[in-house]
Amino acid sequence: MLTNFNDHSLLLHAFEKSPIGVAFLSYDGSLFKVNSSFCKMLGYSESELINRGVPSVTHPEDLEADQELWRQVVQGERDAYQLEKRYIHRSGAIVWGLLHVTIVKNQQGVNANSILISQVVDITEQKKKEEEFKRIEELHNLISEHSQDVILRLTPDGMISYVSPAIRNQLGYEPDELIGTFAYDYWHQEDLKSNWLKYGYYENSDSRIFVYRVRHKSGHYIWQEAHSKRIRNAAGEIQHVISMGRDITERIQSEELIRRSEKLSLVGELAAGIAHEIRNPLTSLRGFMQLYVKEDIEGIKKLRNEVMISEIDRINEIVSELLVLAKPSTEASELRDVVHELNHVTRLFEGQANLYNVQINKELDANLPLIQCQRSINQVFINVLKNAIESMPKGGQVTIEAKQKNDEIHIRIHDTGHGIPQNEISKIGNPFFTTKETGTGLGLMVSMRIIQNHNGTMRIESEVGKGTIVEVVLPIVSGIL
């Protein structure tokens, strides 16, 4: 057998100089010739490998699969097989090899004299890279699956090619719904000027932080802060963009609340000074006017003077509203029934509602708990309901709802009036801003201060042509500031 083999000098040269491991095995699996590449790969000499045999240098977990494939070859069920398997280096280290075994048939076919050729390519480094890639991929999947931030992968033109599961909680979409769509289609129109891919393509920086509004599946917008980074290839071309975005709506609302509180405090200080300056001469004017009315015997003059006193009293009411802005009410708080207060306010406006052809509907949950509040809470409902009715000069409907949610009572007053433009909603509550032809804008400003003093919140939603919703949220147990 060996004589036959040595006669083929060309084959022998190729065998010895091959950069991959090559071994010749007999029908029973014993080695009788191995090349230097195979010896170098496993750290043994040729004689050591021949004496040890293949099973001793094969990882125990891969031995069974190798032997089964070997059996199929020697029994003629297949002519060759290929297998990735682990070998044990002399040092004990694991060496990965891509094994290819072929049987050389003679004229009698497969028999005890048949020779099998094993070729082994060392793929240890490739396996290490695969394992590292797998580890990184698992880590990436772990981060993506459990991160509260939404992770996006975008094409250079902004098409979404991957989105993490966090999108469900943040925007209400399923990941598959967004694949193949453009990220900027979900941005608020006013924020599109910061479209980095379109308008910032020639910027030097490959990393940017954006703050913008993005559309929820239900139609409303949330504020999102995203850190986006361009990923380039070796040629410097943008392959894709990775973006991580988090919901910062509460932070934005808190910042807005702080700014509004600062405005209220500043206006309050100014209002206090103005109010006191106006109230002093008003008191004197009213006193002398009362004397003048009593001395007046002519009915026309008396009527005119009574109107003047009425207008002075109206100015005095505005001054009182200014003083509410200046400091919290010192009025004692007590347990009050919200349903009773809303019914009382509704009765006050029945006449005005009939005049405007407005129907008032009430959806008030029975057995709502009492809340700790001041009598001034009525002023809030009066201001809001008055605005709602006046927004419908040609008639309409006002719906008043009151429900308990956890430890809070939610009161919603919804009208079908002309609505408020989106760009003006943020101005509501600013001093002397009003959408009405007459008015000072102080009503809602005072209402916001009263709700703030009750540790509550007031939110306004509106759409032109459809109406306005004012929601007041009050804690059931409220500590008055």
Side-chain angles (χ1 to χ4, degrees):
M1 187 182 298
L2 287 178
T3 302
N4 256 348
F5 174 76
N6 288 328
D7 288 341
H8 300 79
S9 58
L10 185 60
L11 180 60
L12 180 60
H13 179 78
F15 168 79
E16 291 176 344
K17 299 299 181 182
S18 175
I20 66 173
V22 181
F24 288 88
L25 300 92
S26 61
Y27 182 86
D28 63 1
S30 59
L31 289 165
F32 62 86
K33 188 68 177 176
V34 295
N35 70 352
S36 58
S37 294
F38 194 59
C39 294
K40 184 179 179 181
M41 188 171 72
L42 297 182
Y44 293 100
S45 66
E46 183 179 12
S47 60
E48 287 176 321
L49 281 174
I50 291 173
N51 291 331
R52 293 181 67 89
V54 173
S56 67
V57 293
T58 298
H59 194 285
E61 294 178 7
D62 297 335
L63 185 58
E64 183 179 349
D66 193 8
Q67 289 178 335
E68 172 58 23
L69 290 169
W70 178 275
R71 182 195 63 77
Q72 294 175 18
V73 169
V74 297
Q75 291 185 4
E77 297 175 15
R78 60 166 70 210
D79 293 333
Y81 72 86
Q82 184 170 293
L83 175 69
E84 285 186 2
K85 61 176 285 188
R86 288 163 288 181
Y87 293 90
I88 302 174
H89 191 274
R90 183 172 195 156
S91 65
I94 300 299
V95 177
W96 275 93
L98 177 60
L99 170 66
H100 185 85
V101 176
T102 306
I103 190 166
V104 180
K105 298 179 181 180
N106 52 31
Q107 293 179 349
Q108 289 76 35
V110 179
N111 54 44
N113 294 322
S114 297
I115 296 174
L116 288 92
I117 303 173
S118 291
Q119 301 175 74
V120 185
V121 179
D122 188 345
I123 59 170
T124 305
E125 288 303 316
Q126 176 186 329
K127 278 293 183 180
K128 286 181 179 178
K129 289 179 181 178
E130 288 177 1
E131 287 296 323
E132 179 64 15
F133 179 78
K134 183 180 179 182
R135 187 186 67 80
I136 292 172
E137 188 174 34
E138 288 175 349
L139 181 61
H140 172 265
N141 290 336
L142 181 66
I143 293 171
S144 296
E145 292 289 335
H146 296 90
S147 173
Q148 296 301 309
D149 296 344
V150 171
I151 302 173
L152 295 178
R153 184 176 66 234
L154 311 172
T155 61
D157 59 350
M159 180 181 287
I160 300 172
S161 58
Y162 169 80
V163 57
S164 67
I167 196 74
R168 296 188 186 102
N169 292 329
Q170 196 172 115
L171 291 177
Y173 297 96
E174 288 297 321
D176 291 344
E177 292 182 77
L178 301 185
I179 302 297
T181 65
F182 287 89
Y184 294 105
D185 290 346
Y186 302 92
W187 282 35
H188 194 286
Q189 289 294 318
E190 294 177 6
D191 300 330
L192 284 175
K193 59 187 177 182
S194 61
N195 182 328
W196 186 37
L197 297 181
K198 183 176 180 181
Y199 299 105
Y201 193 86
Y202 298 103
E203 289 184 5
N204 292 327
S205 174
D206 275 346
S207 182
R208 282 273 312 261
I209 295 177
F210 302 93
V211 175
Y212 55 91
R213 285 161 291 182
V214 61
R215 189 175 68 251
H216 192 278
K217 188 174 183 178
S218 64
H220 68 277
Y221 285 86
I222 70 164
W223 282 96
Q224 192 176 73
E225 180 181 78
H227 186 183
S228 298
K229 183 173 179 61
R230 295 183 178 125
I231 306 300
R232 299 178 183 269
N233 59 20
E237 300 167 335
I238 300 173
Q239 287 187 305
H240 52 263
V241 175
I242 300 296
S243 178
M244 294 184 65
R246 63 180 50 185
D247 186 348
I248 59 166
T249 305
E250 289 188 7
R251 191 183 86 188
I252 294 292
Q253 290 174 344
S254 297
E255 291 172 354
E256 178 61 29
L257 182 61
I258 292 171
R259 285 193 294 269
R260 191 179 293 275
S261 296
E262 291 173 348
K263 285 182 183 179
L264 285 172
S265 297
L266 182 61
V267 170
E269 293 176 10
L270 179 64
I274 295 173
H276 285 297
E277 290 298 323
I278 295 175
R279 177 162 275 181
N280 290 335
L282 276 178
T283 303
S284 301
L285 280 172
R286 195 180 191 288
F288 283 112
M289 185 61 68
Q290 283 179 307
L291 292 175
Y292 185 57
V293 169
K294 289 179 181 178
E295 294 174 358
D296 191 0
I297 58 174
E298 297 181 29
I300 295 177
K301 286 185 178 181
K302 183 176 181 180
L303 177 62
R304 181 189 60 196
N305 294 334
E306 286 177 346
V307 170
M308 292 173 64
I309 289 179
S310 173
E311 290 305 303
I312 290 173
D313 289 339
R314 171 61 182 150
I315 295 172
N316 203 33
E317 287 178 11
I318 294 175
V319 170
S320 298
E321 288 189 340
L322 287 172
L323 287 174
V324 171
L325 296 175
K327 60 181 180 179
S329 172
T330 55
E331 173 195 346
S333 64
E334 58 185 1
L335 288 173
R336 291 181 177 273
D337 183 348
V338 171
V339 173
H340 173 78
E341 301 299 328
L342 289 172
N343 285 329
H344 172 70
V345 170
T346 303
R347 284 194 296 271
L348 291 178
F349 282 94
E350 285 178 352
Q352 187 177 2
N354 290 331
L355 183 65
Y356 278 77
N357 195 27
V358 171
Q359 181 179 352
I360 300 178
N361 303 313
K362 291 181 287 185
E363 298 176 7
L364 312 177
D365 281 2
N367 302 320
L368 285 178
L370 302 178
I371 62 170
Q372 190 79 19
C373 62
Q374 297 172 337
R375 187 163 49 87
S376 61
I377 201 73
N378 264 350
Q379 187 63 42
V380 175
F381 304 140
I382 289 171
N383 289 341
V384 175
L385 189 54
K386 182 173 182 291
N387 288 341
I389 293 173
E390 291 177 353
S391 73
M392 297 178 288
K394 296 181 180 180
Q397 291 191 6
V398 176
T399 302
I400 304 173
E401 302 175 10
K403 297 179 180 179
Q404 181 180 354
K405 295 182 181 178
N406 299 323
D407 295 330
E408 297 172 332
I409 291 181
H410 290 241
I411 300 153
R412 289 163 60 94
I413 299 178
H414 182 193
D415 66 61
T416 57
H418 45 64
I420 305 168
Q422 288 296 315
N423 61 345
E424 293 185 356
I425 289 181
S426 60
K427 300 176 185 177
I428 293 175
N430 289 344
F432 306 110
F433 172 80
T434 179
T435 58
K436 297 187 291 187
E437 292 183 3
T438 60
T440 63
L442 293 175
L444 278 179
M445 194 175 194
V446 169
S447 298
M448 288 179 176
R449 172 55 65 90
I450 292 171
I451 296 301
Q452 184 182 19
N453 290 342
H454 285 77
N455 290 330
T457 59
M458 177 182 283
R459 185 173 61 87
I460 299 174
E461 293 181 7
S462 189
E463 187 173 346
V464 174
K466 292 189 176 181
T468 302
I469 299 174
V470 178
E471 182 177 50
V472 173
V473 180
L474 293 169
I476 291 174
V477 179
S478 174
I480 307 303
L481 298 179

